[in-house]
């Protein structure tokens, strides 16, 4: 068909339409400029430090105002200068880094296949627990949400409902999908339903004794293959699992608040955590649309290890009498709001 079409154009049986010069889809100049003005404002709002979205808009404008050839020349020149910018290098680095997170020496290079996780239990229905539960049910994992009493349990389920309703309001979810997601959550006050669970994520307050007690209980009530994960951001995992014999299946699954929105998941492994458990959690992380990174069991893991010094430096400048707003502006301008 393409050959015949080309011959028809060549032998003047069909008109040669040069798509570059088609303008039937373009608004009048004044209207086009208003649209581009709005697009610029949106781009600045979404990414105040990025230059390239604005350059793209400039190129489109050039094509509309001065014609397609001028637009193409501007595009070629703009591309060439952006290619050597620091932002371009950084975005390439981010692109490859995100893909490198799934290659973990000593875990993903052993030929292990992720096991099927069919049911998840979450301990604690607070801000973190309800956020993690929301992330799970959005990817069709049935969830048991355990709390200590009826009042806390109802509050946790209400938080999950609110998270989902916010998606419905924004048009990201239909009412039908909302009902289906909500039907995947079961409330519990005891451990009776934990005997068929494949993964437990503990998301209670940062209290060592409480967490130790919970993990001792989990070892009793969960099946022997079940992954025992904690959402702690500061406590040593060896300390949490001290009173158990299941240290090979204890792992950190550290989400960031709000857990159903933030894309990062830190998978924390100790020297005892089995490679199979790491592979399983990497798979779950991808299924719930997170970027999982595997880190060691050390102070602050990865994110807080960077965040603590960054905050402490700012506070140190305040102690030296520097203007708080000046520090804040410098951080924001650097790209850390």
């Amino acid at each position: 068909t393409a050959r015949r079409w080309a011959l028809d154009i060549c032998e003047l049986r069909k008109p040669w339409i040069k798509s570059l010069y088609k303008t039937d889809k373009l608004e009048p100049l004044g209207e086009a400029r208003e649209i581009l003005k709005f697009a610029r404002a949106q781009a600045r709002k979404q990414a105040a430090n990025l230059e390239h979205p604005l350059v793209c808009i400039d190129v489109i404008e050039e094509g509309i105002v001065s014609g397609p050839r001028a637009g193409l020349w501007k595009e070629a020149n703009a591309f060439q200068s952006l290619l050597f910018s620091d932002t371009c290098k950084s975005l390439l680095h981010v692109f490859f880094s995100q893909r490198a997170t799934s290659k973990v020496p000593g875990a993903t290079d052993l030929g292990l296949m992720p096991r099927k996780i069919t049911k998840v239990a979450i301990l604690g229905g607070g801000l973190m627990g309800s956020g993690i539960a929301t992330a799970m049910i959005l990817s069709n994992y049935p969830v048991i949400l355990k709390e200590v009493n009826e009042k806390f349990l109802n509050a946790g389920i209400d938080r999950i409902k609110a998270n989902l309703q916010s998606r419905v309001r924004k048009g990201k979810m239909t009412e039908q999908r909302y009902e289906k997601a909500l039907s995947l959550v079961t409330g519990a006050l005891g451990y009776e339903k934990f005997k068929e669970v494949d993964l437990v994520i503990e998301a209670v307050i940062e209290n060592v004794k409480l967490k130790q007690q919970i993990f001792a209980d989990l070892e009793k009530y969960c099946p022997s293959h079940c992954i025992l994960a904690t959402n702690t951001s500061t406590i040593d995992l060896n300390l949490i699992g001290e009173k158990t014999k299941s240290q090979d299946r204890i792992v950190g699954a550290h989400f960031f608040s709000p857990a159903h929105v933030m894309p990062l998941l830190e998978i924390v492994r100790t020297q005892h955590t089995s490679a199979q458990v790491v592979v399983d959690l990497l798979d779950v992380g991808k299924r719930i649309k997170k970027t999982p990174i595997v880190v060691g069991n050390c102070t602050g893991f990865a994110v807080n290890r960077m965040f603590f010094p960054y905050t402490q430096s700012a506070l140190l400048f305040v102690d030296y009498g520097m203007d708080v707003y000046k520090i804040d502006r410098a951080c924001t301008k650097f790209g850390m709001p």
Side-chain angles (χ1 to χ4, degrees):
T1 303
R3 273 198 201 133
R4 226 176 11 250
W5 196 301
L7 287 168
D8 283 350
I9 291 170
C10 184
E11 287 155 15
L12 306 178
R13 283 196 295 274
K14 249 196 180 94
W16 186 358
I17 298 163
K18 297 184 179 177
S19 56
L20 184 63
Y21 292 95
K22 278 174 80 171
T23 56
D24 55 319
K25 296 275 196 327
L26 291 179
E27 288 82 358
L29 193 56
E31 217 177 299
R33 281 203 154 129
E34 280 306 305
I35 293 168
L36 293 168
K37 187 178 161 188
F38 176 73
R40 276 193 187 93
Q42 290 295 96
R44 281 196 193 97
K45 204 159 113 189
Q46 278 179 351
N49 294 319
L50 294 185
E51 186 196 352
H52 57 276
L54 297 171
V55 173
C56 290
I57 297 168
D58 290 346
V59 165
I60 293 166
E61 185 164 27
E62 181 75 11
I64 295 168
V65 175
S66 310
R69 289 191 76 78
L72 286 175
W73 275 117
K74 190 174 179 74
E75 183 178 358
N77 292 327
F79 182 82
Q80 208 51 32
S81 60
L82 286 174
L83 195 58
F84 297 100
S85 67
D86 286 345
T87 307
C88 179
K89 287 174 201 161
S90 301
L91 285 170
L92 285 170
H93 174 67
V94 168
F95 178 86
F96 288 113
S97 302
Q98 280 187 325
R99 275 145 190 80
T101 56
S102 56
K103 296 177 182 68
V104 184
T108 57
D109 51 2
L110 304 177
L112 296 167
M113 292 303 291
R115 294 174 295 183
K116 197 166 167 54
I117 305 285
T118 50
K119 203 163 200 182
V120 179
I122 291 160
L123 272 77
L127 199 63
M128 274 323 275
S130 58
I132 297 168
T134 307
M136 290 290 171
I137 60 176
L138 283 172
S139 293
N140 296 316
Y141 282 104
V143 166
I144 296 169
L145 185 70
K146 183 190 175 299
E147 258 298 358
V148 289
N149 60 42
E150 203 74 49
K151 184 185 162 199
F152 286 173
L153 181 59
N154 290 335
I157 288 173
D158 284 345
R159 283 191 194 96
I160 296 170
K161 282 181 184 167
N163 291 342
L164 295 175
Q165 277 160 357
S166 143
R167 289 179 76 83
V168 175
R169 274 198 307 279
K170 290 173 183 162
K172 290 181 180 174
M173 192 180 218
T174 62
E175 281 289 345
Q176 197 182 359
R177 179 85 181 82
Y178 164 83
E179 294 297 341
K180 186 179 182 294
L182 204 56
S183 71
L184 291 170
V185 182
T186 314
L189 298 175
Y191 289 105
E192 303 78 38
K193 293 177 180 161
F194 278 52
K195 48 185 182 294
E196 70 250 17
V197 162
D198 304 306
L199 164 66
V200 178
I201 302 171
E202 164 275 309
V204 304
I205 55 169
E206 295 286 74
N207 176 315
V208 177
K209 281 199 165 54
L210 176 62
K211 287 183 193 277
Q212 285 178 334
Q213 182 55 55
I214 285 170
F215 275 77
D217 290 341
L218 288 173
E219 193 175 38
K220 270 189 284 193
Y221 291 101
C222 297
S224 58
H225 72 273
C226 178
I227 299 166
L228 309 178
T230 172
N231 181 56
T232 186
S233 54
T234 52
I235 303 172
D236 181 343
L237 267 68
N238 290 324
L239 200 58
I240 291 173
E242 206 173 50
K243 298 190 168 147
T244 70
K245 296 181 190 71
S246 307
Q247 300 205 349
D248 60 331
R249 54 193 177 118
I250 290 178
V251 67
H254 182 214
F255 290 79
F256 295 82
S257 195
H260 58 295
V261 178
M262 299 298 264
L264 192 63
L265 167 64
E266 283 181 332
I267 298 170
V268 188
R269 59 171 170 180
T270 69
Q271 67 271 40
H272 308 297
T273 309
S274 80
Q276 182 65 60
V277 164
V278 173
V279 168
D280 295 343
L281 260 192
L282 278 168
D283 185 56
V284 171
K286 283 187 192 131
R287 284 176 193 272
I288 60 172
K289 300 175 180 65
K290 302 290 178 205
T291 300
I293 57 164
V294 178
V295 295
N297 178 33
C298 58
T299 307
F301 311 136
V303 172
N304 285 326
R305 205 175 178 79
M306 289 184 271
F307 181 64
F308 292 157
Y310 153 70
T311 323
Q312 283 165 342
S313 311
L315 295 173
L316 185 69
F317 286 128
V318 177
D319 287 343
Y320 278 138
M322 199 169 165
D323 179 0
V324 177
Y325 293 98
K326 222 175 197 170
I327 298 164
D328 193 48
R329 272 197 303 274
C331 293
T332 306
K333 201 174 167 198
F334 177 67
M336 300 285 274

